[in-house]
């Protein structure tokens, strides 16, 4: 059966590394983005040049209608979805909780939590053997922030990742006998652009000495864990958390 994978937020960072690795493993991949059309198209071209199949689809995962269209495009252009990586994650400038506006809380929770819930809904409707599907696999990308809490940086973001962890536990149990596995990867300090969004592009280097392995991680190292959990090697694993954080 053709393996069809949607990775949300995959124009760059961990999502892009996962798209490349998964395409090399034989998945037809949908690369989703909001603003980075050029990067997404370049990644598609690279996958095609290596003999793989990829499409790029713009959609904001926090918008129900756009998520519905995203999955319809996957149906039409790649075929029935067999795998989903919920990877989009946003954070804003670091500050104390007292200084976080309600508007910011709503933006972060809409993208990081409602976005994951909406994509899981669409995927389960298609994958569930209870509704005529052939099963599938979902990996949610959370963060070690869900257990560290991100004090003085972004408690709103950390709380959103706590919700992702809980979503993983609940959905894994809800669909375990419908052919769908749901797991979670929790990265630590990884070299991507997300730290610039928080106002500190050099954050990984500053904090690396506090990581037991004494370094930040690479997006490709997180991608390995995601692709493992997606695939047949993890066939008896569901509701599990895999921290990719150098011991942090
Ligand atoms: P990143 O480099 O900032 O990339 C974020 C991706 O999400 C981009 O492709 C961006 O695309 C896309 N995106 C943003 N908002 C979107 C939306 N509303 N709808 C669709 N796509 C959207 O992030 P990353 O560091 O790779 O993070 C990936 C995941 O790992 C996130 O869930 C993050 O919380 C988690 N994580 C990262 C770290 C780390 O240290 N990097 C640590 C722990 C957890 P456009 O710019 O094109 O819109």
């Amino acid at each position: 059966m053709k393996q069809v994978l949607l990775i949300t937020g995959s124009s760059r960072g961990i999502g892009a590394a996962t798209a490349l690795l998964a395409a090399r493993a034989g998945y037809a991949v949908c690369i989703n983005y909001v603003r980075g059309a050029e990067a997404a198209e370049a990644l598609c071209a690279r996958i095609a040049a290596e003999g793989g199949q990829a499409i790029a689809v713009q959609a904001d995962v926090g918008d129900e209608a756009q998520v519905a269209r995203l999955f319809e495009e996957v149906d039409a252009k790649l075929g029935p979805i067999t795998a989903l990586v919920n990877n989009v994650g946003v954070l804003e400038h670091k500050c104390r909780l007292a200084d976080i506006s309600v508007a910011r809380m709503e933006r972060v929770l809409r993208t990081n939590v409602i976005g994951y819930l909406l994509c899981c809904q669409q995927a389960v409707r298609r994958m569930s053997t209870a509704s005529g599907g052939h099963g599938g696999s979902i990996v949610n990308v959370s963060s070690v922030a869900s257990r560290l809490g991100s004090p003085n940086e972004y408690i709103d973001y950390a709380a959103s990742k706590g919700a992702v962890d809980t979503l993983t536990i609940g959905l894994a149990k809800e669909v375990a006998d419908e052919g769908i596995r749901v797991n979670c990867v929790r990265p630590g300090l990884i070299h991507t652009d997300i730290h610039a969004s928080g106002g500190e592009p050099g954050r990984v280097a500053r904090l690396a000495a506090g990581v037991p392995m004494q370094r930040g991680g690479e997006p490709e190292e997180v991608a390995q864990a995601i692709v493992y959990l997606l695939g047949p090697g993890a066939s008896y694993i569901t509701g599990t958390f895999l921290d990719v954080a150098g011991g942090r």
Side-chain angles (χ1 to χ4, degrees):
M1 186 175 165
K2 183 179 178 185
Q3 297 300 311
V4 173
L5 166 63
L6 165 62
I7 309 172
T8 66
S10 43
S11 59
R12 54 192 162 87
I14 292 166
T18 304
L20 205 52
L21 188 66
R24 287 173 182 159
Y27 290 87
V29 181
C30 175
I31 294 156
N32 158 250
Y33 65 95
V34 176
R35 284 167 294 272
E38 207 174 313
E41 293 298 345
L43 185 55
C44 281
R46 184 170 171 191
I47 288 170
E50 292 186 8
Q53 185 183 8
I55 60 168
V57 179
Q58 182 189 34
D60 180 342
V61 296
D63 182 294
E64 186 178 11
Q66 293 187 42
V67 169
R69 176 181 49 75
L70 170 63
F71 277 78
E72 283 162 14
E73 284 205 39
V74 173
D75 293 339
K77 293 180 180 164
L78 297 178
I81 189 169
T82 62
L84 165 69
V85 178
N86 261 322
N87 171 73
V88 172
V90 295
L91 51 76
E92 300 193 16
H93 268 228
K94 53 184 178 177
C95 64
R96 290 172 61 85
L97 177 62
D99 299 320
I100 298 178
S101 68
V102 172
R104 165 174 157 169
M105 292 176 194
E106 287 177 347
R107 280 194 299 275
V108 169
L109 294 175
R110 173 159 288 279
T111 301
N112 295 4
V113 181
I114 296 179
Y116 278 45
L117 293 166
L118 290 172
C119 289
C120 283
Q121 268 186 339
Q122 292 286 344
V124 167
R125 283 178 193 148
R126 288 164 169 79
M127 293 173 178
S128 173
T129 53
S131 50
H134 297 287
S137 179
I138 297 173
V139 173
N140 293 322
V141 181
S142 174
S143 169
V144 294
S146 70
R147 56 178 168 72
L148 298 177
S150 306
N152 301 304
E153 291 198 314
Y154 10 73
I155 289 178
D156 52 345
Y157 169 83
S160 77
K161 294 304 189 180
V164 170
D165 289 4
T166 305
L167 158 66
T168 302
I169 293 166
L171 188 61
K173 291 175 179 169
E174 191 165 295
V175 298
D177 65 349
E178 297 174 20
I180 306 173
R181 295 183 299 102
V182 186
N183 289 292
C184 188
V185 167
R186 293 192 294 205
L189 290 164
I190 311 299
H191 291 282
T192 73
D193 295 343
I194 201 169
H195 308 284
S197 313
E200 189 186 1
R203 179 170 175 267
V204 176
R206 176 173 65 82
L207 296 173
V211 177
M213 285 181 70
Q214 296 291 301
R215 67 171 178 87
E218 297 302 326
E220 292 73 18
E221 295 180 290
V222 183
Q224 291 284 353
I226 295 171
V227 172
Y228 163 67
L229 284 173
L230 281 180
S235 55
Y236 196 53
I237 300 176
T238 197
T240 287
F241 296 81
L242 187 43
D243 289 6
V244 184
R248 188 163 175 252

